[in-house]
Amino acid sequence: MFGNYGGRERFGGEIVTLKAFEDNSLVREQVALPGAGKVLVVDGGGSMRRAMLGDMLAEKAALNGWEGIIIYGCIRDVNAIGELDLGVQALGPNPMKTEKKGVGELNVALNFGGATFTPGHYVYADNNGVIVASEKLELAE
């Protein structure tokens, strides 16, 4: 379901959730915060019309220590994002930016792809897929 677009092929961490449709204002706010040990999970409603993440926000997330971002929606600036030390998975690319209305919800349970993403639980992603766990797992290298 998801393509792997970031510079990290494997990533995982504590889930922080965000739900917004074709508006990445809250993504911008969250990636500006410290994110060590965390993965931002964004429910973009599965929209293939607008990109919820571009290179500037992805770079900000990497600089602030986020482990990765999983987007049920699109990203843009694929080549630049692939150079960053950040895990990024999304449904696909789209060059269109979102509108900035400041609309969305933070830290709510999200349901997509047959999984429930609960804030404070953990998510792990690689080229094989995404798994969700209620507690932190120790993964083999």
mmCIF file of all heavy atoms in Angstrom, residues 3 6 41 47-48 59 64-65 69 112 133 140:
data_model
loop_
_atom_site.group_PDB
_atom_site.id
_atom_site.type_symbol
_atom_site.label_atom_id
_atom_site.label_comp_id
_atom_site.label_asym_id
_atom_site.label_seq_id
_atom_site.Cartn_x
_atom_site.Cartn_y
_atom_site.Cartn_z
ATOM 1 N N GLY A 3 4.579 3.342 -0.439
ATOM 2 C CA GLY A 3 5.906 3.359 -1.022
ATOM 3 C C GLY A 3 6.869 3.971 -0.028
ATOM 4 O O GLY A 3 6.488 4.809 0.787
ATOM 5 N N GLY A 6 11.770 7.924 1.893
ATOM 6 C CA GLY A 6 12.780 8.619 2.675
ATOM 7 C C GLY A 6 14.153 7.998 2.545
ATOM 8 O O GLY A 6 14.338 6.942 1.945
ATOM 9 N N VAL A 41 2.273 10.002 12.132
ATOM 10 C CA VAL A 41 1.359 9.261 11.256
ATOM 11 C C VAL A 41 0.252 10.226 10.857
ATOM 12 O O VAL A 41 -0.466 10.751 11.706
ATOM 13 C CB VAL A 41 0.780 8.017 11.959
ATOM 14 C CG1 VAL A 41 -0.177 7.279 11.026
ATOM 15 C CG2 VAL A 41 1.898 7.090 12.416
ATOM 16 N N SER A 47 -6.087 10.985 0.011
ATOM 17 C CA SER A 47 -6.162 11.884 -1.144
ATOM 18 C C SER A 47 -4.920 11.765 -2.022
ATOM 19 O O SER A 47 -3.798 11.824 -1.541
ATOM 20 C CB SER A 47 -6.303 13.339 -0.690
ATOM 21 O OG SER A 47 -6.249 14.195 -1.825
ATOM 22 N N MET A 48 -5.156 11.627 -3.299
ATOM 23 C CA MET A 48 -4.082 11.586 -4.289
ATOM 24 C C MET A 48 -4.008 12.913 -5.050
ATOM 25 O O MET A 48 -3.307 13.020 -6.045
ATOM 26 C CB MET A 48 -4.312 10.427 -5.272
ATOM 27 C CG MET A 48 -4.382 9.061 -4.602
ATOM 28 S SD MET A 48 -2.888 8.606 -3.706
ATOM 29 C CE MET A 48 -1.775 8.245 -5.065
ATOM 30 N N GLU A 59 12.755 18.075 5.678
ATOM 31 C CA GLU A 59 14.062 18.478 6.202
ATOM 32 C C GLU A 59 13.936 18.984 7.640
ATOM 33 O O GLU A 59 14.760 18.675 8.505
ATOM 34 C CB GLU A 59 14.688 19.547 5.315
ATOM 35 C CG GLU A 59 16.071 19.954 5.779
ATOM 36 C CD GLU A 59 16.746 20.931 4.839
ATOM 37 O OE1 GLU A 59 16.066 21.569 4.003
ATOM 38 O OE2 GLU A 59 17.980 21.065 4.948
ATOM 39 N N ASN A 64 14.834 18.005 13.421
ATOM 40 C CA ASN A 64 14.258 17.946 14.760
ATOM 41 C C ASN A 64 14.201 16.527 15.323
ATOM 42 O O ASN A 64 13.565 16.292 16.351
ATOM 43 C CB ASN A 64 12.884 18.604 14.784
ATOM 44 C CG ASN A 64 13.007 20.114 14.732
ATOM 45 O OD1 ASN A 64 13.860 20.695 15.404
ATOM 46 N ND2 ASN A 64 12.177 20.753 13.931
ATOM 47 N N GLY A 65 14.864 15.593 14.639
ATOM 48 C CA GLY A 65 15.046 14.255 15.177
ATOM 49 C C GLY A 65 13.937 13.255 14.979
ATOM 50 O O GLY A 65 13.976 12.164 15.548
ATOM 51 N N ILE A 69 7.901 9.572 8.985
ATOM 52 C CA ILE A 69 6.548 10.068 8.746
ATOM 53 C C ILE A 69 5.848 9.071 7.826
ATOM 54 O O ILE A 69 6.404 8.683 6.792
ATOM 55 C CB ILE A 69 6.571 11.465 8.081
ATOM 56 C CG1 ILE A 69 7.331 12.464 8.959
ATOM 57 C CG2 ILE A 69 5.150 11.957 7.812
ATOM 58 C CD1 ILE A 69 7.542 13.825 8.308
ATOM 59 N N PHE A 112 -6.664 3.259 8.994
ATOM 60 C CA PHE A 112 -6.501 3.093 7.546
ATOM 61 C C PHE A 112 -5.571 1.913 7.295
ATOM 62 O O PHE A 112 -4.820 1.503 8.175
ATOM 63 C CB PHE A 112 -5.998 4.374 6.856
ATOM 64 C CG PHE A 112 -4.704 4.924 7.370
ATOM 65 C CD1 PHE A 112 -3.486 4.425 6.933
ATOM 66 C CD2 PHE A 112 -4.689 5.965 8.283
ATOM 67 C CE1 PHE A 112 -2.295 4.935 7.394
ATOM 68 C CE2 PHE A 112 -3.508 6.494 8.746
ATOM 69 C CZ PHE A 112 -2.302 5.970 8.298
ATOM 70 N N ALA A 133 2.239 -1.750 17.095
ATOM 71 C CA ALA A 133 2.323 -2.510 18.343
ATOM 72 C C ALA A 133 1.923 -1.607 19.506
ATOM 73 O O ALA A 133 2.159 -0.398 19.471
ATOM 74 C CB ALA A 133 3.741 -3.027 18.550
ATOM 75 N N ALA A 140 15.590 -6.911 15.530
ATOM 76 C CA ALA A 140 16.917 -7.356 15.114
ATOM 77 C C ALA A 140 17.397 -6.506 13.945
ATOM 78 O O ALA A 140 16.601 -6.027 13.142
ATOM 79 C CB ALA A 140 16.854 -8.822 14.718
#
